[in-house]
Amino acid sequence: MSSRILAKTLTRSAHHAAKQARPTLRCMATESGALRKTGLYDFHVENGAKMVPFAGFSMPLSYGSVGAVASHHHVRKSAGLFDVGHMVQSNFLGPTATQFLEWITPSGLASLPPYSSTLSVLLNEHGGIIDDTVITKHASDAFYVVTNAGRRDRDLAWFKEKLEEWNKTDLAKKEGGVEHEILENWGLLALQGPEAAQVLQAYTSYDLTELTFGKSAYLTVEGFNLHVARGGYTGEDGFEISIPPAETIEVAKLLSKSPVQLTGLGARDSLRLEAGMCLYGQDLTEEITPIEAGLTWVIPKDRRETGNFIGAEGVRKHLKEGPPKRRVGLVVEGAPARQGATILHPETNEAIGAVTSGIPSPTLSKNIAMGYVRSGFHKKNTELLVEVRGKARNAKITGMPFVPTNYYRGSA
Amino acid sequence: MFNALRQASKSATLVRVARRPATAASPLRTFQSVRTVVTKRYTQDHEAVVFDDSTGVGTVAITDYAQSSLGDVVFVELPTVGSVVNQGDQIGAVESVKAASDIYAPVSGTVKEINEELNSQPGLLNKSPEGDGWLCKIELSDTEEITKLMTEDAYKEHCEH
């Protein structure tokens, strides 16, 4: 038992990952040492939160005496409220906003209906993932984009550089350029769980049965006009609610009443992993293409072939030749495999990949993990070995999500 | 005072556990054990060892401070009985949903017994870390090692830093 670990328990990495000094820990590194706070910092402290550094922010790990496992189960059975105000919220506005975003991402945004969202990726010149993001289209000249806190500096510099290039193009000069607006200090709350809809419905006259998974709308919630997107990072039904800075605390108080429980980063990580969702910095990096990451589905078919987006060449190479490695789900026997654990060939014990996220799943009571393996070993039910504390443990490739998703796709 | 009493009763539990094999083996030893000296010491890595000089065996546990920092323990990996360990060797791990924490041997010796209950009830580590949630028993190869570990007061101070 290491005292280093006691400190690290409060962060998101396992001991072995840290020992190997993997660069993937950068998502939680702070540059200056001074941590930022969301508008709900005092609210968290008043509610007994254990605050920990995460992605440059001081964020709640858990609240009061509610353990991570109990908190996790509460979201699966009832509803939880997460402060995700550390994430970067942006608007891209202007006559050529659709074309600009179709250049910096491989998404098909021209065909996306208004007030709909899509998971997307920002790609570098080689097709490596700079960040994963959710893009919501309000109109062809107005998009709302949420990116990761841990990638704030990289993303914002990238947006600035690419916007300057874009606004010098003939198209932008002729039809109009694009402007990037950061919603600094705005609140972002995620209300997640099977009871999330009935909780929110009690505060709004908007018929939430109309708001299906992947849709968004401006709702009046107890007098507050809020942008509400149906979706989230837990696999459950739920909403991500964007709130003007002055109103964030009031809305958080409103939405955290019983049966909703405030939920911290601990449960957020176990919920997202059960849902098979990636965490940037662990499961996605700039060295990984969306094809390797199993995110080919975020690129519409026509754009895979002819799309003119940054990184298209790297993406097409992997599409054509097949990716050298692939993201897979694993169930590991014996001990939980954590970030950094080596995946071995079942007969030769040769290293063929590595775990990028792993936990004992509270819902399944099995050790689940995701990681990358060499192509050819990625098929479902392939039996492999994973090394944990010097011992090779049996593991099997499993489809994801590990826990079935429970999205609301309409009452019909 | 209250704290001290609780500590004392906890130690007493551990002492009984530690002495049981000896008691069963020889009535003579029982008599001798009246003079048994039980020492409880701590490591910087938040392990506690209760050493019984009549048996030469130390019972290894994680401290209450450690369990509360770890959160819900869901899996415990223990060493193999009979394995010979050196002080500082990694001998197992305690896992919460969030993280794995290695357990290091606080003393050198031979692993005589492991707490099999933890396989089915890892939560014992949270409920009773220095009691029913003990990890393993090590027969010390060098009893001097125990005296070099931290006393309770030194450990308390260590936790406050």
Side-chain angles (χ1 to χ4, degrees):
Chain A
M1 173 73 88
S2 142
S3 51
R4 284 158 296 169
I5 281 310
L6 290 178
K8 207 166 303 120
T9 307
L10 310 178
T11 70
R12 50 185 336 139
S13 73
H15 182 48
H16 289 273
K19 255 190 176 168
Q20 292 174 20
R22 289 175 65 83
T24 47
L25 289 171
R26 70 192 154 199
C27 61
M28 31 185 321
T30 59
E31 275 151 33
S32 60
L35 293 174
R36 294 168 59 116
K37 293 172 180 177
T38 72
L40 291 174
Y41 178 86
D42 292 341
F43 173 79
H44 297 315
V45 172
E46 280 162 26
N47 282 281
K50 189 189 264 185
M51 304 300 288
V52 297
F54 177 73
F57 281 77
S58 177
M59 296 300 290
L61 178 74
S62 58
Y63 295 84
S65 59
V66 183
V69 175
S71 190
H72 177 110
H73 290 316
H74 191 81
V75 175
R76 288 264 179 260
K77 287 180 186 129
S78 176
L81 189 72
F82 303 76
D83 177 12
V84 286
H86 58 308
M87 297 186 81
V88 181
Q89 304 180 67
S90 296
N91 285 322
F92 286 90
L93 307 167
T96 54
T98 303
Q99 294 95 320
F100 171 70
L101 291 171
E102 284 199 348
W103 178 51
I104 64 164
T105 76
S107 296
L109 301 170
S111 54
L112 189 70
Y115 287 89
S116 300
S117 304
T118 181
L119 177 70
S120 188
V121 282
L122 301 174
L123 300 179
N124 64 25
E125 293 84 350
H126 309 291
I129 301 170
I130 294 173
D131 201 359
D132 59 338
T133 173
V134 174
I135 299 177
T136 303
K137 181 179 183 174
H138 290 154
S140 62
D141 60 355
F143 291 83
Y144 164 71
V145 175
V146 179
T147 48
N148 283 304
R151 297 297 281 166
R152 183 186 174 94
D153 293 348
R154 172 70 169 131
D155 292 345
L156 294 184
W158 183 255
F159 289 147
K160 187 164 180 274
E161 180 189 326
K162 294 300 148 189
L163 272 169
E164 277 170 16
E165 274 181 57
W166 180 260
N167 287 333
K168 282 180 199 152
T169 61
D170 293 341
L171 181 72
K173 279 182 185 157
K174 191 168 137 237
E175 294 184 20
V178 178
E179 198 183 312
H180 177 213
E181 176 190 43
I182 304 166
L183 298 171
E184 211 65 88
N185 300 318
W186 277 52
L188 191 61
L189 287 171
L191 179 64
Q192 300 281 297
E195 293 180 354
Q198 75 190 62
V199 167
L200 188 60
Q201 190 66 80
Y203 300 119
T204 180
S205 58
Y206 187 102
D207 180 3
L208 292 175
T209 62
E210 300 291 313
L211 192 75
T212 52
F213 177 75
K215 298 283 175 194
S216 61
Y218 282 97
L219 311 191
T220 306
V221 177
E222 286 278 282
F224 301 110
N225 186 35
L226 307 174
H227 183 267
V228 177
R230 198 154 195 164
Y233 195 49
T234 60
E236 296 298 328
D237 183 23
F239 307 89
E240 290 194 334
I241 304 164
S242 176
I243 312 158
E247 297 168 0
T248 309
I249 293 176
E250 287 308 307
V251 175
K253 281 182 183 162
L254 186 72
L255 295 179
S256 57
K257 288 180 188 163
S258 180
V260 180
Q261 277 183 7
L262 291 170
T263 315
L265 290 172
R268 183 168 161 82
D269 191 53
S270 52
L271 289 160
R272 70 92 193 168
L273 188 49
E274 285 186 345
M277 292 170 172
C278 295
L279 174 65
Y280 195 92
Q282 285 187 201
D283 312 309
L284 303 175
T285 70
E286 289 213 35
E287 285 69 50
I288 295 167
T289 69
I291 314 306
E292 292 172 315
L295 298 175
T296 309
W297 63 271
V298 309
I299 316 172
K301 283 214 172 72
D302 59 320
R303 301 212 76 216
R304 288 176 207 170
E305 277 146 38
T306 59
N308 179 26
F309 53 87
I310 298 168
E313 204 181 314
V315 165
R316 278 190 200 116
K317 185 171 189 283
H318 280 183
L319 278 169
K320 205 172 134 201
E321 297 170 9
K325 60 181 185 287
R326 292 178 194 256
R327 184 170 64 95
V328 293
L330 293 160
V331 169
V332 184
E333 302 290 325
R338 309 284 182 167
Q339 183 190 21
T342 307
I343 303 172
L344 307 169
H345 188 286
E347 280 129 36
T348 65
N349 273 23
E350 176 198 3
I352 54 165
V355 168
T356 51
S357 289
I359 52 160
S361 159
T363 303
L364 304 172
S365 299
K366 285 192 246 179
N367 302 317
I368 59 169
M370 66 168 85
Y372 285 83
V373 293
R374 197 188 295 162
S375 271
F377 294 94
H378 63 282
K379 302 241 161 52
K380 254 186 225 175
N381 296 319
T382 302
E383 293 185 2
L384 301 165
L385 299 170
V386 178
E387 192 177 299
V388 181
R389 289 185 287 277
K391 280 187 222 161
R393 325 272 173 156
N394 293 325
K396 195 187 254 188
I397 307 269
T398 314
M400 289 188 283
F402 297 102
V403 173
T405 54
N406 186 27
Y407 300 135
Y408 175 73
R409 297 187 189 272
S411 49
Chain B
M1 184 62 189
F2 238 98
N3 233 341
L5 278 175
R6 217 168 47 216
Q7 203 60 56
S9 79
K10 258 184 197 164
S11 301
T13 312
L14 280 172
V15 171
R16 265 203 310 279
V17 172
R19 275 169 56 185
R20 198 175 295 137
T23 315
S26 151
L28 190 63
R29 292 286 288 274
T30 312
F31 176 68
Q32 286 180 334
S33 71
V34 171
R35 287 176 295 152
T36 291
V37 177
V38 172
T39 318
K40 186 170 188 180
R41 290 294 169 93
Y42 298 82
T43 72
Q44 298 216 336
D45 296 328
H46 304 279
E47 287 139 350
V49 191
V50 174
F51 176 68
D52 181 337
D53 80 337
S54 68
T55 59
V57 170
T59 301
V60 180
I62 67 166
T63 65
D64 189 56
Y65 176 86
Q67 74 75 21
S68 73
S69 308
L70 280 167
D72 304 334
V73 172
V74 294
F75 179 77
V76 183
E77 190 155 66
L78 296 167
T80 314
V81 172
S83 55
V84 176
V85 299
N86 288 313
Q87 191 177 40
D89 283 359
Q90 192 218 306
I91 55 169
V94 174
E95 308 222 16
S96 64
V97 171
K98 202 72 206 133
S101 301
D102 292 340
I103 305 164
Y104 300 106
V107 287
S108 306
T110 306
V111 178
K112 301 303 279 184
E113 199 181 338
I114 56 171
N115 186 356
E116 305 268 6
E117 285 294 307
L118 293 175
N119 294 331
S120 54
Q121 294 185 70
L124 283 176
L125 265 188
N126 293 113
K127 283 184 208 130
S128 177
E130 295 173 52
D132 294 343
W134 61 277
L135 299 169
C136 64
K137 296 181 185 185
I138 297 176
E139 188 173 56
L140 273 70
S141 54
D142 174 9
T143 53
E144 279 300 298
E145 277 180 359
I146 200 83
T147 59
K148 291 173 190 149
L149 298 177
M150 278 187 277
T151 61
E152 188 174 348
D153 287 346
Y155 176 68
K156 272 185 183 159
E157 201 176 316
H158 171 63
C159 290
E160 279 157 20
H161 284 291

